[in-house]
Amino acid sequence: MGAELPGQSDSAEPPGDHRPHRKGAKVADIRRYGQPPGLKDRRNEEHWAGRLYMRDLSPYFAWIALRLGLSPNQLTYLMMLSGVVAGVVVSLPVTELWTAIGGAVLIQVYLLLDCVDGEVARYLRQTSVAGVFLDRIGHYLSEVSLLVGLGFMAQGGWENGGWVELGLLAALGAALIKAETDNVVVARAKSGLPADPSGGDRALRPRSTGIALARQAVSMLRFHRIIGAVELSLLIVAAAVIDTVLGTATPAAVRVLTVAVAAVAVLQTLLHLVSILASRRLK
């Protein structure tokens, strides 16, 4: 999901496209022009939560954003802010259950704005490369911030320690995974190749049968999702609930989660790199 290239006005109006002015738009208009067919089916672009419920809610908030005169880029900045603040809230040295819930709510706001900025951009026909760039940076910042916040929560306060270092390690891994994906496009562009390799999904599969089967098995387990902002925020709430119920002196469940996300981040960084090098994406 994302900003869908917000920022640059497209003055050419397609034939038969007579959408109302932004302040006269209705929710149905936003669904029509802001959510084109196939939006929910985009490979590796649309989050499961977007398909499940957020795309049903987002047009109402896009309607509000249009009425308020907010631009797609302004919405993207708000998305970035909500994601970063979620990590800060999680790290606060107060009752972990409330900080976990606060962080999860802010991540839902982040997800909502990630839908809304793109819908507003498509409705207004305002697109730019800068919008995609901001959207990607927003995803980097939000995931990194939440993982660092988890490290401080596991540590039990704003102080240095091994749990903070594990959170930082997980954050580094999450950033590297995204960088590996983005640098495929960079490498192809610098080599004069189109952004997407020919062959579609076949180009994404490793050429080695063994690596391909391993990649498929890992993909089926979906364990990499625990370092995603939405999934992680919910897991943090679950861990905080367990710690609250057990009444442990230390945040045991949160610490188990911190170890798990650090291990997954490191492993996924290596597996993703091998998968890319073994595929046809760099050919």
Side-chain angles (χ1 to χ4, degrees):
M1 294 181 290
E4 295 295 322
L5 303 171
Q8 178 181 336
S9 177
D10 181 1
S11 58
E13 184 173 296
D17 184 349
H18 303 295
R19 66 191 69 184
H21 182 268
R22 63 182 302 155
K23 293 195 174 180
K26 298 179 180 179
V27 171
D29 296 321
I30 296 168
R31 291 192 191 279
R32 177 181 179 185
Y33 298 110
Q35 294 185 347
L39 178 68
K40 293 183 179 181
D41 301 323
R42 296 179 301 173
R43 178 183 174 86
N44 297 328
E45 292 285 337
E46 191 69 14
H47 194 276
W48 61 263
R51 292 190 294 270
L52 185 62
Y53 61 88
M54 197 58 81
R55 286 294 182 187
D56 294 327
L57 298 175
S58 58
Y60 297 97
F61 291 89
W63 177 83
I64 294 172
L66 287 170
R67 299 285 294 186
L68 292 175
L70 294 173
S71 72
N73 278 354
Q74 288 172 333
L75 291 165
T76 304
Y77 284 125
L78 289 173
M79 178 200 80
M80 295 165 67
L81 180 63
S82 63
V84 171
V85 173
V88 174
V89 168
V90 165
S91 75
L92 292 175
V94 294
T95 305
E96 69 175 43
L97 180 58
W98 291 115
T99 60
I101 292 173
V105 169
L106 283 166
I107 289 298
Q108 290 298 310
V109 173
Y110 153 84
L111 178 63
L112 173 64
L113 291 169
D114 196 23
C115 293
V116 170
D117 64 357
E119 290 168 1
V120 170
R122 283 185 289 269
Y123 189 87
L124 297 176
R125 293 187 295 269
Q126 293 180 349
T127 59
S128 76
V129 176
V132 173
F133 176 79
L134 288 174
D135 190 67
R136 295 298 299 172
I137 292 296
H139 293 166
Y140 274 65
L141 289 174
S142 298
E143 288 193 6
V144 165
S145 177
L146 193 60
L147 286 163
V148 173
L150 174 62
F152 279 106
M153 177 184 276
Q155 189 66 38
W158 286 348
E159 57 185 40
N160 293 328
W163 298 106
V164 174
E165 292 170 2
L166 273 181
L168 290 170
L169 179 63
L172 175 61
L176 285 175
I177 292 166
K178 290 186 177 297
E180 288 169 355
T181 300
D182 291 344
N183 274 292
V184 170
V185 178
V186 173
R188 292 181 64 84
K190 285 183 173 290
S191 301
L193 298 172
D196 296 321
S198 59
D201 289 348
R202 193 172 70 88
L204 302 179
R205 294 195 295 268
R207 288 165 289 179
S208 165
T209 303
I211 295 177
L213 290 174
R215 177 179 181 271
Q216 185 176 5
V218 170
S219 178
M220 289 175 62
L221 292 174
R222 306 288 185 186
F223 73 92
H224 60 282
R225 284 189 171 178
I226 73 170
I227 58 175
V230 175
E231 292 85 353
L232 179 58
S233 68
L234 299 177
L235 288 172
I236 291 173
V237 171
V241 168
I242 292 172
D243 283 336
T244 301
V245 171
L246 295 179
T248 54
T250 57
V254 169
R255 289 181 173 180
V256 170
L257 177 60
T258 305
V259 172
V261 296
V264 167
V266 171
L267 181 60
Q268 185 65 14
T269 300
L270 296 174
L271 292 177
H272 193 47
L273 178 62
V274 171
S275 176
I276 290 172
L277 292 174
S279 71
R280 298 173 178 81
R281 279 176 274 189
L282 299 178
K283 301 294 183 181

